[in-house]
């Protein structure tokens, strides 16, 4: 029996809303609007509705408003899917993770406003939101019966691909963290060139922490891209008969290329806001896809044990 179409629409809305939270948080950081509402939370500059609207106030208050509305919708989706789809193994865990990490990111954001946080702590904010987004995305994929369409319940993943899938997903979180650290330490434009910090002297020693942060992120991305390329090559070679694996990794490789290009353009366009937000969008979608591949690994393990 197909799932209720209203649940499907609601799942789409919740997923898009969670994506807006991610991009809204990135926008707050990139426009330096974090204190648009002053050191006040949940009110804005001493009032529930801001009396004076400036660009910083509009960005920060809109982000808070979207977060509040979406939090309610995700809670409703969690309860709804628990009641209707609780028999599916992953549903309850995904609902719990979505709510837990959504609350966690909201508390970190509130703590930053009220008391301030170090850059290394703030860099966790995006990553925590990302886990919540991935959980909501996977819930939505289950609601839309994506697994049935791609016969994911019968998937079999070999030991080699299982290891690589789990490891590269964990590593992707490090890549996300280093990228967030670049933003929060204002290291985005510390290196004027790409791919090296200074193309005229590519192997010169770094002069300060900011160059280490920027180039550390670029090195992490390089390793990540090569790793994804290798996994994709392996999946295309060995998993032609399993569409969800075959096309899943091809899509992952495509997104990682777009992510690298966007990162390059962030530097070359001197932090163009649209390009910077696309950079955040691509890594969000990629992380969600990698989490889905991890879920398929869990399915494969379950299928193997219950043959």
């Amino acid at each position: 029996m197909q799932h209720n179409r209203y649940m499907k629409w609601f799942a789409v809305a919740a997923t898009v809303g969670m994506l807006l939270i991610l991009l809204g948080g990135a926008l707050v950081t990139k426009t330096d609007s974090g204190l648009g509402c002053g050191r006040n939370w949940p009110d804005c500059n001493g009032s529930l509705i801001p009396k004076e609207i400036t660009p910083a106030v509009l960005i920060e208050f809109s982000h808070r408003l979207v977060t509040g509305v979406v939090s309610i919708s995700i809670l409703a989706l969690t309860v709804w899917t628990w009641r209707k789809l609780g028999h599916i193994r992953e549903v309850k865990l995904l609902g719990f993770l979505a709510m837990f990490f959504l609350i966690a990111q909201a508390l970190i954001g509130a703590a930053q406003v009220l008391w301030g946080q170090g850059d290394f702590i703030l860099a966790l904010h995006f990553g925590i939101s990302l886990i919540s987004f991935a959980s909501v995305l996977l819930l939505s994929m289950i609601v839309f019966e994506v697994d049935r369409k791609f016969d994911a319940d019968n998937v079999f993943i070999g030991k080699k691909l299982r290891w690589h899938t789990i490891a590269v997903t964990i590593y992707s979180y490090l890549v996300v963290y280093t990228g967030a650290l670049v933003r929060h330490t204002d290291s985005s434009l510390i290196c004027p060139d790409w791919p090296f910090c200074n193309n005229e002297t590519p192997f010169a020693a770094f002069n300060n922490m900011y160059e280490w942060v920027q180039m550390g992120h670029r090195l992490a991305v390089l390793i990540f891209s090569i790793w994804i390329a290798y996994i994709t090559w392996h999946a295309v070679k060995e998993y032609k008969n399993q569409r969800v694996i075959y096309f899943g990794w091809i899509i992952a490789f495509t997104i990682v290329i777009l992510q690298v290009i966007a990162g390059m353009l962030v530097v070359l366009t001197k932090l163009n806001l649209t390009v910077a937000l696309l950079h955040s969008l691509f890594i969000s979608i990629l992380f969600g896809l990698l989490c889905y591949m991890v879920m398929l690994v869990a399915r494969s393990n379950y299928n193997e044990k219950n043959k």
Side-chain angles (χ1 to χ4, degrees), residues 5-49:
R5 68 172 182 173
Y6 295 111
M7 184 189 291
K8 292 181 178 181
W9 280 110
F10 199 83
V12 169
T15 305
V16 172
M18 194 62 231
L19 191 58
L20 290 176
I21 289 178
L22 281 171
L23 296 180
L27 182 62
V28 168
T29 301
K30 295 176 191 303
T31 58
D32 198 23
S33 302
L35 293 179
C37 288
R39 292 288 180 187
N40 302 92
W41 191 93
D43 61 307
C44 186
N45 292 323
S47 59
L48 188 60
I49 305 297

Side-chain angles (χ1 to χ4, degrees), residues 224-266:
F224 182 55
S225 303
I226 294 172
W227 199 349
I228 292 287
Y230 171 75
I231 296 173
T232 303
W233 172 80
H234 176 70
V236 168
K237 181 181 177 183
E238 302 292 340
Y239 291 86
K240 290 185 177 68
N241 296 326
Q242 298 191 62
R243 291 187 304 158
V244 68
I245 304 298
Y246 183 86
F247 288 109
W249 283 109
I250 289 176
I251 294 171
F253 178 69
T254 302
I255 298 173
V256 84
I257 293 300
L258 292 174
Q259 174 73 5
V260 170
I261 292 172
M264 175 188 69
L265 292 176
V266 165

Side-chain angles (χ1 to χ4, degrees), residues 2 15 59 61-62 71 90 106-107 121 126 160 203 239 286:
Q2 289 191 338
T15 305
I59 292 171
F61 183 73
S62 297
S71 297
E90 300 87 359
L107 292 177
I121 298 297
F126 183 80
K160 181 178 181 179
F203 302 110
Y239 291 86
L286 179 58

Side-chain angles (χ1 to χ4, degrees), residues 43-296:
D43 61 307
C44 186
N45 292 323
S47 59
L48 188 60
I49 305 297
K51 297 176 181 177
E52 182 179 353
I53 303 296
T54 65
V57 169
L58 181 62
I59 292 171
E60 171 65 9
F61 183 73
S62 297
H63 178 54
R64 293 188 190 184
L65 185 62
V66 169
T67 300
V69 173
V70 172
S71 297
I72 295 172
S73 69
I74 291 177
L75 176 60
L77 178 65
T78 298
V79 173
W80 199 349
T81 52
W82 279 14
R83 292 185 62 185
K84 299 294 184 181
L85 306 176
H87 59 281
I88 299 175
R89 290 188 303 276
E90 300 87 359
V91 165
K92 290 185 178 180
L93 175 61
L94 290 172
F96 170 78
L97 291 176
M99 286 306 306
F100 179 83
F101 285 100
L102 182 60
I103 293 171
Q105 69 87 23
L107 292 177
I108 290 178
Q112 163 60 13
V113 170
L114 295 173
W115 305 296
Q117 299 286 336
D119 293 330
F120 288 84
I121 298 297
L122 279 177
L124 290 171
H125 190 258
F126 183 80
I128 289 174
S129 301
L130 202 54
I131 296 176
S132 183
F133 165 73
S135 301
V136 175
L137 177 65
L138 296 192
L139 266 181
S140 297
M141 294 176 78
I142 290 173
V143 169
F144 271 85
E145 301 172 313
V146 169
D147 292 355
R148 292 187 185 181
K149 293 175 183 176
F150 286 99
D151 200 25
D153 282 332
N154 297 317
V155 71
F156 175 77
I157 301 174
K159 185 176 180 181
K160 181 178 181 179
L161 185 56
R162 293 181 198 180
W163 183 89
H164 278 291
T165 300
I166 295 171
V168 80
T169 302
I170 294 172
Y171 181 76
S172 72
Y173 205 73
L174 174 64
V175 175
V176 169
Y177 179 79
T178 59
L181 196 58
V182 167
R183 292 199 304 269
H184 286 288
T185 57
D186 293 326
S187 303
S188 298
L189 298 179
I190 193 67
C191 292
D193 295 327
W194 193 92
F196 299 102
C197 194
N198 190 320
N199 289 340
E200 293 183 359
T201 55
F203 302 110
F206 301 141
N207 297 314
N208 50 61
M209 180 198 76
Y210 305 104
E211 290 182 354
W212 278 102
V213 169
Q214 172 63 247
M215 294 308 296
H217 175 60
R218 293 189 193 182
L219 177 60
V221 170
L222 176 62
I223 295 170
F224 182 55
S225 303
I226 294 172
W227 199 349
I228 292 287
Y230 171 75
I231 296 173
T232 303
W233 172 80
H234 176 70
V236 168
K237 181 181 177 183
E238 302 292 340
Y239 291 86
K240 290 185 177 68
N241 296 326
Q242 298 191 62
R243 291 187 304 158
V244 68
I245 304 298
Y246 183 86
F247 288 109
W249 283 109
I250 289 176
I251 294 171
F253 178 69
T254 302
I255 298 173
V256 84
I257 293 300
L258 292 174
Q259 174 73 5
V260 170
I261 292 172
M264 175 188 69
L265 292 176
V266 165
V267 175
L268 298 183
T269 62
K270 305 302 180 185
L271 210 59
N272 177 273
L273 187 57
T274 300
V275 174
L277 290 177
L278 282 174
H279 191 56
S280 298
L281 175 65
F282 290 142
I283 194 60
S284 300
I285 296 173
L286 179 58
F287 183 76
L289 177 57
L290 290 177
C291 288
Y292 180 66
M293 303 310 282
V294 170
M295 189 172 79
L296 292 181

